[in-house]
Structures are given as structure tokens and as C-alpha cells.
């Protein structure tokens, strides 16, 4: 409940500040990576958003590899002949 409430409160503030920054920079998003602090925030946000899907992908691959190893080589050969 608290994250949703923070989103409602801070979302409007962030939107108005983004609009102000775009007006100041003539519509260019280059201000997001021109300064080290904003670049660090953008990179951190991208990493935080990308880690969960990557971890799930790695977990699925590991499970599939373990399942293939537990079936044995004969089963894997016959499944490929299909």
C-alpha cells in the first residue's frame, strides 16, 4: 500500500519536473546522461529493472539443463530424432 501511495504522490511531482527539464533542454533527453549523477541514476534504474528477468532466464536454463541430465543420454537422443 505504501509504494502505491508514494507513486501517486511523487508521480505528479516527477512528471512536472520532467516537463520542466524538457522545456529547459528544448525537448532533448540528453540531460539524462550529461551529468554523472543523473547518468548513475539512469544506469541503476536500468540494472534494477533488468536483473529479475535475467535471473529468471538463468534459473530456467539451469532447471532445463538439470532435467536433461537427469533423464540420461538415451532419452535426449531419442527426443531429438522426433
Amino acid at each position: 500500500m505504501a509504494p502505491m501511495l508514494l507513486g501517486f504522490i511523487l508521480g505528479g511531482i516527477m512528471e512536472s519536473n520532467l516537463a520542466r527539464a524538457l522545456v529547459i533542454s528544448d525537448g532533448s533527453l540528453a540531460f539524462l546522461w550529461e551529468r554523472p549523477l543523473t547518468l548513475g541514476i539512469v544506469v541503476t534504474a536500468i540494472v534494477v529493472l533488468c536483473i529479475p528477468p535475467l535471473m529468471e532466464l538463468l534459473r530456467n536454463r539451469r532447471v532445463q539443463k538439470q532435467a536433461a541430465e537427469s533423464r540420461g543420454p538415451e532419452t535426449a537422443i531419442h527426443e531429438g530424432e522426433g
Side-chain angles (χ1 to χ4, degrees), residues 29 31-33 36-49:
L29 291 174
F31 69 89
L32 291 175
W33 50 82
L37 179 62
T38 55
L39 178 63
I41 292 171
V42 169
V43 169
T44 302
I46 290 171
V47 168
V48 166
L49 290 173

Side-chain angles (χ1 to χ4, degrees), residues 5-82:
L5 187 59
L6 279 172
F8 280 127
I9 293 170
L10 297 178
I13 296 170
M14 289 175 51
E15 185 177 356
S16 63
N17 284 329
L18 177 62
R20 184 180 309 142
L22 287 171
V23 167
I24 292 170
S25 66
D26 293 326
S28 173
L29 291 174
F31 69 89
L32 291 175
W33 50 82
E34 285 179 344
R35 300 190 182 248
L37 179 62
T38 55
L39 178 63
I41 292 171
V42 169
V43 169
T44 302
I46 290 171
V47 168
V48 166
L49 290 173
C50 290
I51 284 179
L54 290 175
M55 294 300 290
E56 185 69 24
L57 178 69
L58 292 174
R59 185 179 306 117
N60 288 341
R61 284 188 179 178
R62 188 175 348 118
V63 167
Q64 288 175 353
K65 184 178 178 182
Q66 289 174 350
E69 289 174 354
S70 67
R71 285 184 289 202
E74 300 86 24
T75 308
I77 293 171
H78 294 297
E79 286 179 357
E81 295 174 357

